Amino acid sequence: MSNTIFWVNGKPEALVSAADRSVHYGDGVFETIRVRDHQPEFLARHLARLRVGCERLGFNAVPWDRVETETLELARQKAEGALKIILSRGSGGRGYRFGSEQHTTRIIGLYDLPQWPDSITTTGIRARVCSLRLSIQPRLAGIKHLNRLEQVLARAEWDDESIREGLMLDLNDRLIEGTMSNVFLVREGRLLTPDLSQCGVSGIMRSVIMDVAERADITVETCALTLDDVRTADEVFICNSLIGIWPVTTIDTIGVYPVGPISRKLGEQLQQVEASRNSHWYAS
Amino acid sequence: MSNTIFWVNGKPEALVSAADRSVHYGDGVFETIRVRDHQPEFLARHLARLRVGCERLGFNAVPWDRVETETLELARQKAEGALKIILSRGSGGRGYRFGSEQHTTRIIGLYDLPQWPDSITTTGIRARVCSLRLSIQPRLAGIKHLNRLEQVLARAEWDDESIREGLMLDLNDRLIEGTMSNVFLVREGRLLTPDLSQCGVSGIMRSVIMDVAERADITVETCALTLDDVRTADEVFICNSLIGIWPVTTIDTIGVYPVGPISRKLGEQLQQVEASRNSHWYAS
């Protein structure tokens, strides 16, 4: 906590109005971005998703130039870090209604990068299946909005430090995502990832991996998946913007998996993309 | 806005930490309480629901004495008003996980009472049916938590000032509530109100009305209801802690209703309860 730097509406301060609609309703969206060598990785993709989220929620007049400038500027303050952008609809009166005059609140936090052993990418992680089921809500599906109580409750299901992620199903028994990650299965050389049109967050690292796979001639299918698909998968991995790809080698009560060739190949190619700083990948 | 007074953690200030989990996840619960003659109405019931919400979310060490004391103290500052209590899990690092050491954030706001014509209780209101469907989530059903994007989006569906409320169905076509109210139907002298075990907020005014009805020998059924039940209802009314009971006389495309005998009777008895300041009702 002590190493976190917050900027609110462009000013270095760590306070938000008590009338802010993020506090009252979770009326906003956010991004978590990896800072590598003082630069926010895949920034254009993150900003594009923020835009989609703001459009879906009916935000108007978001000062996008400032969001981008402030993000780049704040990122310079740490060589490696985790940067979080929160955009809320701003302050309002009591009541759900909002008018046409909105003043987006910009909250940008720069955190230390969470630490994990380098060996994770070679040895894989242990995961579990959460008992909380995600609700179905197409109107909010895909975007990274601030209503995250389901994730908070799901993450509270376990304390065991050796379990690094919990997989979440929806109320129809479909596999959707991890509490903090997206999930991929490998079956007969093809990559399968859950359809997120009914719930879940469409992650930036998920989209990067889908592009990396396509370039490597690996077929990617977005489809309905269940725990049976997980049970019979050849490989399983999770991803997010901070961790990249983590192979999953154990899912409690479900199965044991190798760190397989597809996971390894995608992990290597992702590292090349990240190292290349190629503007197509790095900024977009 | 200008007339709103905020206290945060007992201090007269209107700022919240940018690290607060209400901002990041909507990780908290709230109450909206009518202040009448400088006193928070039905305070004990509101505090009891807050407790249930905090238990369901796994809050620990909430300083309940302070919440009550501060609410009573702040309420004294306006003869008539709307008081909002927000309790969040407090500040945290980045990530959904919370530890056993939680420091609840208390945000209490005292607002001017919203204005509406006195005639509403005799002429009734016009309502509509929202197109957004509430998601099913038993883990959050009933409590008044801070994840309220569904209500925000539903309330944004109309601008027409003459429409005072939007009724909401869930994804299974069940009638659940209004965007800011609970709903009751009258059929053959009996009171029907939606079951809220799968979604929706179990309102304090709803519980008061159910008790008032019982004392008046009016049968109350909590059950699954659909728009067909609304279409064939003899009377319809909505309620919340600020408005009390509002008869619904028009629901666009659904039906037209009288301000019927049961709505009138319950409205009168509710006013007696509110006027009596009887400690059983007033404080509990």
Side-chain angles (χ1 to χ4, degrees):
Chain A
M1 276 300 300
S2 51
N3 283 320
T4 305
I5 307 164
F6 279 109
W7 284 6
V8 176
N9 293 329
K11 289 182 195 139
E13 65 179 354
L15 294 167
V16 175
S17 165
D20 199 84
R21 291 176 65 102
S22 61
V23 175
H24 290 250
Y25 312 123
D27 191 4
V29 286
F30 74 107
E31 292 293 322
T32 303
I33 304 177
R34 170 115 185 204
V35 173
R36 206 184 281 276
D37 196 15
H38 300 281
Q39 285 178 68
E41 192 172 65
F42 305 122
L43 179 59
R45 285 182 194 238
H46 285 286
L47 292 176
R49 182 173 59 176
L50 272 183
R51 272 178 195 271
V52 170
C54 286
E55 273 164 31
R56 294 266 299 275
L57 298 185
F59 279 30
N60 61 26
V62 179
W64 290 110
D65 288 355
R66 289 189 200 167
V67 174
E68 183 167 359
T69 309
E70 288 162 16
T71 299
L72 288 164
E73 216 171 301
L74 185 54
R76 280 192 209 110
Q77 301 198 17
K78 278 188 203 282
E80 300 289 311
L83 186 144
K84 186 168 180 178
I85 305 174
I86 296 177
L87 298 180
S88 97
R89 204 187 304 268
S91 288
R94 215 196 42 72
Y96 297 119
R97 195 178 183 188
F98 56 86
S100 56
E101 205 180 312
Q102 301 173 26
H103 300 281
T104 314
T105 303
R106 312 183 297 282
I107 303 167
I108 311 184
L110 181 59
Y111 301 76
D112 286 342
L113 197 65
Q115 297 299 305
W116 51 82
D118 286 338
S119 58
I120 276 188
T121 51
T122 50
T123 59
I125 64 154
R126 178 180 165 205
R128 66 190 291 282
V129 178
C130 293
S131 65
L132 184 139
R133 299 303 182 93
L134 289 165
S135 62
I136 308 291
Q137 182 47 275
R139 288 289 301 276
L140 296 172
I143 65 174
K144 207 166 166 81
H145 57 73
L146 295 176
N147 279 197
R148 303 249 71 93
L149 273 173
E150 291 183 324
Q151 283 70 28
V152 169
L153 293 178
R155 185 56 191 84
E157 288 182 16
W158 81 97
D159 266 331
D160 184 339
E161 303 277 350
S162 74
I163 300 175
R164 293 202 175 254
E165 180 57 307
L167 301 182
M168 302 183 75
L169 310 177
D170 71 13
L171 284 165
N172 297 331
D173 295 335
R174 297 275 164 80
L175 173 71
I176 301 297
E177 60 193 0
T179 64
M180 57 153 200
S181 64
N182 286 118
V183 59
F184 284 86
L185 310 181
V186 176
R187 188 159 64 198
E188 295 167 2
R190 287 170 303 130
L191 211 49
L192 310 176
T193 194
D195 169 64
L196 302 176
S197 61
Q198 303 300 298
C199 59
V201 176
S202 180
I204 295 305
M205 187 52 74
R206 175 177 180 268
S207 77
V208 169
I209 288 168
M210 289 165 85
D211 289 352
V212 167
E214 203 183 325
R215 290 191 169 209
D217 283 326
I218 297 167
T219 306
V220 187
E221 285 175 41
T222 304
C223 51
L225 295 168
T226 67
L227 275 186
D228 279 339
D229 295 303
V230 181
R231 278 191 193 93
T232 58
D234 302 323
E235 307 174 33
V236 179
F237 65 86
I238 61 167
C239 67
N240 74 27
S241 291
L242 298 183
I243 65 177
I245 288 175
W246 278 359
V248 178
T249 43
T250 303
I251 304 174
D252 287 5
T253 78
I254 302 295
V256 177
Y257 311 87
V259 178
I262 301 279
S263 304
R264 275 204 309 275
K265 183 174 184 181
L266 289 171
E268 283 157 18
Q269 302 229 335
L270 178 63
Q271 281 181 358
Q272 283 172 26
V273 162
E274 290 176 331
S276 73
R277 301 287 196 277
N278 178 304
S279 67
H280 169 77
W281 286 102
Y282 202 69
S284 71
Chain B
M1 276 301 300
S2 53
N3 283 321
T4 304
I5 306 163
F6 279 108
W7 283 6
V8 175
N9 292 330
K11 289 181 195 140
E13 65 180 353
L15 294 167
V16 176
S17 166
D20 199 84
R21 291 177 63 101
S22 61
V23 175
H24 289 250
Y25 311 124
D27 191 5
V29 286
F30 74 107
E31 291 293 322
T32 303
I33 304 177
R34 170 118 186 199
V35 173
R36 206 184 282 274
D37 197 14
H38 300 279
Q39 285 179 66
E41 192 173 68
F42 305 123
L43 179 59
R45 285 183 194 236
H46 284 286
L47 291 175
R49 182 173 58 175
L50 272 183
R51 272 179 195 271
V52 170
C54 287
E55 274 164 31
R56 295 265 299 275
L57 297 186
F59 280 30
N60 63 23
V62 180
W64 290 109
D65 287 355
R66 289 188 202 170
V67 174
E68 182 166 0
T69 309
E70 288 162 15
T71 299
L72 288 165
E73 217 170 301
L74 185 53
R76 280 192 210 110
Q77 300 198 18
K78 279 190 203 278
E80 300 291 311
L83 187 144
K84 186 167 181 177
I85 305 174
I86 295 176
L87 298 180
S88 97
R89 205 185 304 266
S91 288
R94 215 196 42 74
Y96 297 120
R97 193 177 185 189
F98 57 85
S100 57
E101 204 181 311
Q102 301 173 27
H103 299 282
T104 315
T105 303
R106 311 183 298 284
I107 304 167
I108 311 183
L110 181 58
Y111 300 76
D112 285 341
L113 196 65
Q115 297 299 303
W116 51 81
D118 286 339
S119 59
I120 275 187
T121 51
T122 50
T123 60
I125 64 153
R126 179 180 164 202
R128 66 189 292 282
V129 178
C130 293
S131 65
L132 184 140
R133 300 304 183 89
L134 289 164
S135 61
I136 307 292
Q137 183 46 276
R139 289 289 301 276
L140 296 173
I143 64 174
K144 207 168 167 80
H145 57 74
L146 295 176
N147 280 197
R148 302 248 73 90
L149 273 173
E150 292 184 323
Q151 283 69 29
V152 169
L153 292 179
R155 185 58 189 83
E157 289 182 16
W158 80 96
D159 266 331
D160 184 340
E161 303 278 349
S162 73
I163 300 174
R164 293 202 174 254
E165 180 59 303
L167 301 183
M168 301 183 75
L169 310 177
D170 70 14
L171 283 165
N172 297 330
D173 295 336
R174 297 276 164 81
L175 174 72
I176 301 297
E177 60 194 0
T179 64
M180 58 152 199
S181 64
N182 287 118
V183 59
F184 284 88
L185 310 181
V186 177
R187 187 158 66 199
E188 294 168 1
R190 288 169 302 129
L191 212 49
L192 310 176
T193 195
D195 168 64
L196 302 176
S197 61
Q198 303 300 301
C199 59
V201 177
S202 180
I204 296 305
M205 186 52 73
R206 174 178 181 267
S207 77
V208 169
I209 288 167
M210 288 165 87
D211 289 352
V212 167
E214 203 182 324
R215 292 191 167 208
D217 283 328
I218 297 167
T219 306
V220 186
E221 286 176 40
T222 304
C223 51
L225 295 169
T226 67
L227 275 186
D228 279 340
D229 295 303
V230 181
R231 279 191 192 93
T232 57
D234 301 324
E235 306 174 32
V236 179
F237 64 86
I238 61 167
C239 66
N240 76 26
S241 290
L242 299 183
I243 66 176
I245 287 174
W246 279 358
V248 178
T249 43
T250 303
I251 304 174
D252 289 3
T253 78
I254 302 295
V256 176
Y257 311 87
V259 179
I262 301 280
S263 304
R264 275 204 309 274
K265 184 174 182 180
L266 289 169
E268 284 158 17
Q269 302 227 335
L270 177 62
Q271 281 182 354
Q272 282 174 27
V273 161
E274 291 175 329
S276 74
R277 302 286 196 281
N278 178 303
S279 66
H280 169 75
W281 287 102
Y282 202 70
S284 72

